[in-house]
Amino acid sequence: MKRQPKSDKPTRAQRKALRQQARQARIVELKRLSQTQNPLQIQDKLILPIGLIFALVVVILVMRRWLG
């Protein structure tokens, strides 16, 4: 029986380890990106209250002008 020549292809365990390392690297990168996005999320949450306050001020000013 002829022996197969040894190839440079990584073994199954090595491929699995490489996939796990790549997955961990992606997870770390996504966590880093999500931390930099937090200020934007805070701004998104402030848009509605600021808009409501602005609208309330405009209504008060219009009512004062109209009634006064």
Side-chain angles (χ1 to χ4, degrees):
M1 238 203 255
K2 269 190 167 179
R3 256 185 152 188
Q4 292 285 337
K6 202 169 193 179
S7 67
D8 294 333
K9 198 168 127 180
T11 64
R12 180 177 293 190
Q14 289 170 332
R15 289 193 307 265
K16 183 178 179 182
L18 285 173
R19 280 196 306 272
Q20 285 177 339
Q21 287 174 354
R23 183 171 183 261
Q24 287 297 327
R26 283 194 304 270
I27 289 171
V28 167
E29 181 68 14
L30 286 174
K31 283 182 181 178
R32 187 185 67 75
L33 285 173
S34 71
Q35 286 175 351
T36 60
Q37 297 298 323
N38 278 342
L40 295 178
Q41 291 171 352
I42 291 169
Q43 285 178 357
D44 289 344
K45 290 178 183 174
L46 290 176
I47 288 174
L48 184 61
I50 290 172
L52 289 173
I53 291 169
F54 178 75
L56 184 61
V57 169
V58 169
V59 167
I60 290 171
L61 291 175
V62 167
M63 293 300 286
R64 279 182 138 187
R65 175 72 79 160
W66 190 48
L67 294 175

PDB file of all heavy atoms in Angstrom, residues 28-42:
ATOM      1  N   VAL A  28     -14.582  40.529  20.110  1.00  0.00           N
ATOM      2  CA  VAL A  28     -13.876  41.637  20.769  1.00  0.00           C
ATOM      3  C   VAL A  28     -14.047  42.921  19.969  1.00  0.00           C
ATOM      4  O   VAL A  28     -14.311  43.990  20.527  1.00  0.00           O
ATOM      5  CB  VAL A  28     -12.379  41.282  20.945  1.00  0.00           C
ATOM      6  CG1 VAL A  28     -11.561  42.496  21.327  1.00  0.00           C
ATOM      7  CG2 VAL A  28     -12.227  40.184  21.983  1.00  0.00           C
ATOM      8  N   GLU A  29     -13.935  42.831  18.653  1.00  0.00           N
ATOM      9  CA  GLU A  29     -14.080  44.022  17.796  1.00  0.00           C
ATOM     10  C   GLU A  29     -15.497  44.583  17.882  1.00  0.00           C
ATOM     11  O   GLU A  29     -15.688  45.797  17.959  1.00  0.00           O
ATOM     12  CB  GLU A  29     -13.726  43.649  16.354  1.00  0.00           C
ATOM     13  CG  GLU A  29     -13.818  44.797  15.372  1.00  0.00           C
ATOM     14  CD  GLU A  29     -12.767  45.861  15.601  1.00  0.00           C
ATOM     15  OE1 GLU A  29     -11.798  45.626  16.341  1.00  0.00           O
ATOM     16  OE2 GLU A  29     -12.918  46.967  15.048  1.00  0.00           O
ATOM     17  N   LEU A  30     -16.498  43.713  17.881  1.00  0.00           N
ATOM     18  CA  LEU A  30     -17.883  44.187  17.976  1.00  0.00           C
ATOM     19  C   LEU A  30     -18.142  44.855  19.326  1.00  0.00           C
ATOM     20  O   LEU A  30     -18.833  45.877  19.394  1.00  0.00           O
ATOM     21  CB  LEU A  30     -18.857  43.025  17.783  1.00  0.00           C
ATOM     22  CG  LEU A  30     -18.989  42.528  16.349  1.00  0.00           C
ATOM     23  CD1 LEU A  30     -19.856  41.279  16.305  1.00  0.00           C
ATOM     24  CD2 LEU A  30     -19.585  43.604  15.469  1.00  0.00           C
ATOM     25  N   LYS A  31     -17.579  44.312  20.405  1.00  0.00           N
ATOM     26  CA  LYS A  31     -17.742  44.932  21.719  1.00  0.00           C
ATOM     27  C   LYS A  31     -17.091  46.303  21.740  1.00  0.00           C
ATOM     28  O   LYS A  31     -17.648  47.260  22.286  1.00  0.00           O
ATOM     29  CB  LYS A  31     -17.135  44.044  22.810  1.00  0.00           C
ATOM     30  CG  LYS A  31     -17.997  42.863  23.165  1.00  0.00           C
ATOM     31  CD  LYS A  31     -17.381  42.052  24.287  1.00  0.00           C
ATOM     32  CE  LYS A  31     -18.246  40.844  24.610  1.00  0.00           C
ATOM     33  NZ  LYS A  31     -17.658  40.010  25.646  1.00  0.00           N
ATOM     34  N   ARG A  32     -15.902  46.414  21.130  1.00  0.00           N
ATOM     35  CA  ARG A  32     -15.212  47.705  21.086  1.00  0.00           C
ATOM     36  C   ARG A  32     -16.035  48.721  20.295  1.00  0.00           C
ATOM     37  O   ARG A  32     -16.200  49.868  20.714  1.00  0.00           O
ATOM     38  CB  ARG A  32     -13.828  47.542  20.452  1.00  0.00           C
ATOM     39  CG  ARG A  32     -12.971  48.806  20.515  1.00  0.00           C
ATOM     40  CD  ARG A  32     -11.673  48.608  19.759  1.00  0.00           C
ATOM     41  NE  ARG A  32     -11.859  48.451  18.331  1.00  0.00           N
ATOM     42  CZ  ARG A  32     -12.153  49.443  17.501  1.00  0.00           C
ATOM     43  NH1 ARG A  32     -12.308  50.669  17.939  1.00  0.00           N
ATOM     44  NH2 ARG A  32     -12.303  49.213  16.209  1.00  0.00           N
ATOM     45  N   LEU A  33     -16.580  48.282  19.173  1.00  0.00           N
ATOM     46  CA  LEU A  33     -17.399  49.186  18.366  1.00  0.00           C
ATOM     47  C   LEU A  33     -18.666  49.595  19.103  1.00  0.00           C
ATOM     48  O   LEU A  33     -19.092  50.751  19.023  1.00  0.00           O
ATOM     49  CB  LEU A  33     -17.759  48.523  17.031  1.00  0.00           C
ATOM     50  CG  LEU A  33     -16.643  48.451  16.005  1.00  0.00           C
ATOM     51  CD1 LEU A  33     -17.091  47.633  14.806  1.00  0.00           C
ATOM     52  CD2 LEU A  33     -16.208  49.832  15.582  1.00  0.00           C
ATOM     53  N   SER A  34     -19.273  48.664  19.821  1.00  0.00           N
ATOM     54  CA  SER A  34     -20.512  48.996  20.522  1.00  0.00           C
ATOM     55  C   SER A  34     -20.256  49.995  21.643  1.00  0.00           C
ATOM     56  O   SER A  34     -21.112  50.817  21.958  1.00  0.00           O
ATOM     57  CB  SER A  34     -21.194  47.739  21.070  1.00  0.00           C
ATOM     58  OG  SER A  34     -20.463  47.226  22.152  1.00  0.00           O
ATOM     59  N   GLN A  35     -19.086  49.958  22.246  1.00  0.00           N
ATOM     60  CA  GLN A  35     -18.769  50.929  23.292  1.00  0.00           C
ATOM     61  C   GLN A  35     -18.595  52.315  22.707  1.00  0.00           C
ATOM     62  O   GLN A  35     -18.953  53.308  23.324  1.00  0.00           O
ATOM     63  CB  GLN A  35     -17.501  50.513  24.043  1.00  0.00           C
ATOM     64  CG  GLN A  35     -17.733  49.341  24.968  1.00  0.00           C
ATOM     65  CD  GLN A  35     -16.468  48.852  25.625  1.00  0.00           C
ATOM     66  OE1 GLN A  35     -15.377  49.281  25.264  1.00  0.00           O
ATOM     67  NE2 GLN A  35     -16.591  47.944  26.572  1.00  0.00           N
ATOM     68  N   THR A  36     -18.061  52.406  21.485  1.00  0.00           N
ATOM     69  CA  THR A  36     -17.906  53.724  20.867  1.00  0.00           C
ATOM     70  C   THR A  36     -19.250  54.243  20.365  1.00  0.00           C
ATOM     71  O   THR A  36     -19.401  55.437  20.154  1.00  0.00           O
ATOM     72  CB  THR A  36     -16.900  53.685  19.704  1.00  0.00           C
ATOM     73  OG1 THR A  36     -17.372  52.774  18.712  1.00  0.00           O
ATOM     74  CG2 THR A  36     -15.528  53.264  20.175  1.00  0.00           C
ATOM     75  N   GLN A  37     -20.227  53.374  20.174  1.00  0.00           N
ATOM     76  CA  GLN A  37     -21.543  53.796  19.681  1.00  0.00           C
ATOM     77  C   GLN A  37     -22.454  54.270  20.805  1.00  0.00           C
ATOM     78  O   GLN A  37     -23.485  54.860  20.549  1.00  0.00           O
ATOM     79  CB  GLN A  37     -22.231  52.644  18.939  1.00  0.00           C
ATOM     80  CG  GLN A  37     -21.501  52.182  17.699  1.00  0.00           C
ATOM     81  CD  GLN A  37     -21.381  53.235  16.633  1.00  0.00           C
ATOM     82  OE1 GLN A  37     -22.284  54.010  16.439  1.00  0.00           O
ATOM     83  NE2 GLN A  37     -20.255  53.290  15.958  1.00  0.00           N
ATOM     84  N   ASN A  38     -22.095  53.992  22.062  1.00  0.00           N
ATOM     85  CA  ASN A  38     -22.972  54.353  23.172  1.00  0.00           C
ATOM     86  C   ASN A  38     -23.366  55.824  23.215  1.00  0.00           C
ATOM     87  O   ASN A  38     -24.520  56.134  23.462  1.00  0.00           O
ATOM     88  CB  ASN A  38     -22.347  53.923  24.502  1.00  0.00           C
ATOM     89  CG  ASN A  38     -22.591  52.453  24.785  1.00  0.00           C
ATOM     90  OD1 ASN A  38     -23.472  51.850  24.185  1.00  0.00           O
ATOM     91  ND2 ASN A  38     -21.824  51.883  25.682  1.00  0.00           N
ATOM     92  N   PRO A  39     -22.446  56.787  23.005  1.00  0.00           N
ATOM     93  CA  PRO A  39     -22.877  58.187  23.019  1.00  0.00           C
ATOM     94  C   PRO A  39     -23.973  58.478  21.995  1.00  0.00           C
ATOM     95  O   PRO A  39     -24.879  59.268  22.256  1.00  0.00           O
ATOM     96  CB  PRO A  39     -21.597  58.952  22.689  1.00  0.00           C
ATOM     97  CG  PRO A  39     -20.500  58.063  23.143  1.00  0.00           C
ATOM     98  CD  PRO A  39     -21.002  56.660  22.902  1.00  0.00           C
ATOM     99  N   LEU A  40     -23.921  57.825  20.862  1.00  0.00           N
ATOM    100  CA  LEU A  40     -24.965  58.034  19.855  1.00  0.00           C
ATOM    101  C   LEU A  40     -26.307  57.499  20.346  1.00  0.00           C
ATOM    102  O   LEU A  40     -27.352  58.094  20.090  1.00  0.00           O
ATOM    103  CB  LEU A  40     -24.581  57.346  18.545  1.00  0.00           C
ATOM    104  CG  LEU A  40     -23.350  57.907  17.846  1.00  0.00           C
ATOM    105  CD1 LEU A  40     -23.053  57.115  16.589  1.00  0.00           C
ATOM    106  CD2 LEU A  40     -23.526  59.367  17.517  1.00  0.00           C
ATOM    107  N   GLN A  41     -26.285  56.374  21.060  1.00  0.00           N
ATOM    108  CA  GLN A  41     -27.527  55.822  21.582  1.00  0.00           C
ATOM    109  C   GLN A  41     -28.123  56.765  22.624  1.00  0.00           C
ATOM    110  O   GLN A  41     -29.336  56.933  22.686  1.00  0.00           O
ATOM    111  CB  GLN A  41     -27.271  54.443  22.193  1.00  0.00           C
ATOM    112  CG  GLN A  41     -26.920  53.398  21.159  1.00  0.00           C
ATOM    113  CD  GLN A  41     -26.468  52.094  21.783  1.00  0.00           C
ATOM    114  OE1 GLN A  41     -26.270  52.005  22.983  1.00  0.00           O
ATOM    115  NE2 GLN A  41     -26.284  51.077  20.956  1.00  0.00           N
ATOM    116  N   ILE A  42     -27.278  57.401  23.427  1.00  0.00           N
ATOM    117  CA  ILE A  42     -27.770  58.353  24.426  1.00  0.00           C
ATOM    118  C   ILE A  42     -28.411  59.538  23.715  1.00  0.00           C
ATOM    119  O   ILE A  42     -29.481  60.011  24.115  1.00  0.00           O
ATOM    120  CB  ILE A  42     -26.604  58.799  25.344  1.00  0.00           C
ATOM    121  CG1 ILE A  42     -26.163  57.636  26.225  1.00  0.00           C
ATOM    122  CG2 ILE A  42     -27.016  59.987  26.205  1.00  0.00           C
ATOM    123  CD1 ILE A  42     -24.871  57.877  26.972  1.00  0.00           C
TER     124      ILE A  42
END
